[in-house]
């Protein structure tokens, strides 16, 4: 894919967090270091249960000297995140506002996406764009850029020489790169971040201090407890159902979490894919594609 493509991402929401305590408030809740969010740097993080299981993931942007913007899954998921944040607000000097109606979210992707937007090959690098914000995807620069624009300002995209594409094309690229999309692939109240790439995808800071669910996340890392990983798959044959088991002969090797075209993401048991394993899901042949950013545990 050599040209630059863009697409609106309609199933996203934006929450503004403003006030004197906005940094400290988020810092005690989310997995990443909120203090690093600036006009030049955006971030990616998650909110976990006290037991360290996934609840929500989101992108964080600097809006002004008094406000941060949190871009998250839309609809009921956004409502639930807003309620959760409000529950933890207590006496903190913060104001939470759902500003989803004020913003449109776009993805710009393709091999020339960063050059088209004059952004460096640095995850999270951020700059103004028209009346909004442009940021290299904070997870992985190869995914391209995210743009937040005030509603009705889409014409600002005309100047970057990009061709309009579709969310389906964006998600096909996303799964081939191995990036999860919130609750589409991560099971709420059950998923463990380090099995889903959050460390390599700049979603966890192990030096930032305490946050909700920190203990399990740190224990998973330092005790080497990762035995499964969310990895891209290619499907050859009849498209299986999401949730189908991937089998290595008579042994379960994984579970399909999402499918976009002939690609998808699956939670794979690492010990079942070595030595040229023959993997099937129903009548389809499954090939696991390990991205170069993934750090698998060393095998003996």
């Amino acid at each position: 894919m050599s040209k630059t493509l863009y697409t609106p991402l309609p199933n996203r929401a934006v929450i503004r967090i403003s006030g004197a305590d906005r940094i400290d408030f988020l810092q005690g809740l989310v997995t990443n270091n909120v203090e690093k969010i600036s006009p030049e740097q955006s971030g990616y993080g998650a909110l976990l249960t006290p037991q360290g299981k996934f609840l929500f993931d989101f992108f964080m942007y600097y809006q002004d000297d008094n406000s941060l913007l949190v871009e998250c899954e839309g609809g009921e998921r956004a409502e639930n995140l807003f309620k959760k944040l409000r529950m933890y607000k207590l006496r903190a000097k913060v104001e939470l506002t759902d500003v989803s109606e004020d913003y449109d979210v776009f993805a710009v992707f393709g091999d020339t996406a960063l050059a088209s937007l004059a952004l460096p090959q640095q995850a999270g690098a951020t700059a103004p764009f028209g009346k909004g914000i442009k940021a290299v995807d904070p997870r992985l620069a190869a995914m391209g850029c995210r743009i937040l624009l005030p509603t009705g300002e889409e014409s600002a995209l005309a100047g970057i020489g990009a061709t309009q594409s579709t969310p389906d094309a964006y998600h096909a690229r996303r799964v081939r790169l191995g990036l999860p999309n919130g609750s589409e692939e991560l099971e709420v109240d059950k998923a463990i971040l380090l099995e889903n790439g959050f460390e390599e995808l700049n979603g966890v800071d192990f030096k930032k201090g305490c946050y909700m669910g920190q203990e399990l996340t740190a224990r998973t890392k330092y005790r080497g407890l990762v035995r499964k990983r969310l990895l891209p798959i290619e499907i050859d044959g009849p498209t299986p159902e999401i949730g189908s088991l991937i089998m290595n002969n008579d042994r379960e090797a994984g579970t399909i979490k999402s499918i976009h075209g002939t690609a998808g993401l699956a939670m794979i048991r690492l010990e079942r894919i070595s030595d040229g394993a023959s993997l099937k899901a129903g009548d389809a042949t499954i090939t696991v594609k390990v991205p170069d950013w993934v750090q698998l545990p060393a095998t003996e």
Side-chain angles (χ1 to χ4, degrees):
M1 183 184 299
S2 59
K3 59 185 178 180
T4 302
L5 305 173
Y6 80 92
T7 182
L9 297 177
N11 298 319
R12 304 297 292 177
V14 182
I15 297 170
R16 182 172 64 223
I17 302 177
S18 55
D21 293 341
R22 66 196 181 283
I23 303 295
D24 290 342
F25 168 68
L26 275 181
Q27 188 78 325
L29 292 176
V30 308
T31 57
N32 215 336
N33 191 342
V34 184
E35 294 176 356
K36 294 182 178 180
I37 304 301
S38 73
E40 295 80 34
Q41 186 69 35
S42 300
Y44 177 58
L47 180 65
L48 309 179
T49 69
Q51 296 75 33
K53 304 299 177 65
F54 169 81
L55 285 177
F56 306 94
D57 69 341
F58 36 76
F59 301 95
M60 298 173 284
Y61 308 90
Y62 172 97
Q63 184 182 33
D64 55 43
D65 287 345
N66 191 54
S67 303
L68 298 173
L69 296 177
V70 171
E71 178 216 325
C72 59
E73 294 180 79
E76 185 178 357
R77 293 282 292 156
E79 294 173 12
N80 291 340
L81 174 58
F82 191 90
K83 290 176 185 176
K84 184 70 70 173
L85 292 172
R86 189 170 56 192
M87 183 181 77
Y88 287 118
K89 178 178 177 290
L90 300 176
R91 296 178 182 174
K93 295 177 181 177
V94 296
E95 182 177 350
L96 306 173
T97 312
D98 184 341
V99 293
S100 302
E101 295 300 316
D102 298 335
Y103 286 94
D104 291 325
V105 180
F106 298 88
V108 182
F109 57 104
D111 295 340
T112 57
L114 302 189
S116 297
L117 286 164
L119 286 167
Q121 292 276 345
Q122 174 192 327
T126 303
F129 183 76
K131 297 179 181 178
I133 300 165
K134 61 181 178 181
V136 180
D137 194 300
R139 299 168 297 181
L140 191 70
M143 190 63 247
C145 308
R146 305 184 79 81
I147 291 179
L148 269 64
L149 282 173
T151 303
E153 295 289 331
E154 183 175 347
S155 60
L157 290 163
I160 67 172
T163 301
Q164 184 163 0
S165 184
T166 64
D168 286 342
Y170 164 81
H171 286 296
R173 183 175 179 92
R174 174 184 65 78
V175 298
R176 284 194 164 94
L177 287 171
L179 308 188
N181 181 42
S183 60
E184 179 179 353
E185 287 103 3
L186 308 182
E187 192 169 355
V188 175
D189 277 331
K190 292 188 177 180
I192 296 173
L193 292 195
L194 301 194
E195 293 181 346
N196 292 280
F198 272 69
E199 181 177 5
E200 299 104 314
L201 294 173
N202 307 307
V204 181
D205 188 324
F206 288 98
K207 299 178 181 178
K208 62 161 280 187
C210 295
Y211 58 86
M212 184 92 66
Q214 178 197 19
E215 184 177 351
L216 176 87
T217 306
R219 188 165 66 243
T220 302
K221 174 178 173 62
Y222 295 117
R223 293 187 181 179
L225 300 177
V226 175
R227 299 289 181 265
K228 301 182 292 182
R229 284 296 300 259
L230 187 74
L231 295 172
I233 57 172
E234 287 288 339
I235 302 163
D236 183 10
T239 303
E241 296 286 331
I242 293 171
S244 296
L245 295 180
I246 298 172
M247 304 299 295
N248 179 355
N249 296 319
D250 60 348
R251 299 188 301 171
E252 182 182 331
T255 305
I256 296 176
K257 294 295 186 179
S258 67
I259 297 173
H260 292 274
T262 60
L265 285 171
M267 184 59 70
I268 298 292
R269 297 186 180 189
L270 298 177
E271 78 276 8
R272 300 281 167 85
I273 63 169
S274 57
D275 302 322
S278 175
L279 304 177
K280 303 283 285 189
D283 292 327
T285 298
I286 303 297
T287 304
V288 176
K289 303 283 190 178
V290 181
D292 56 9
W293 60 263
V294 171
Q295 301 171 18
L296 295 182
T299 56
E300 299 181 358

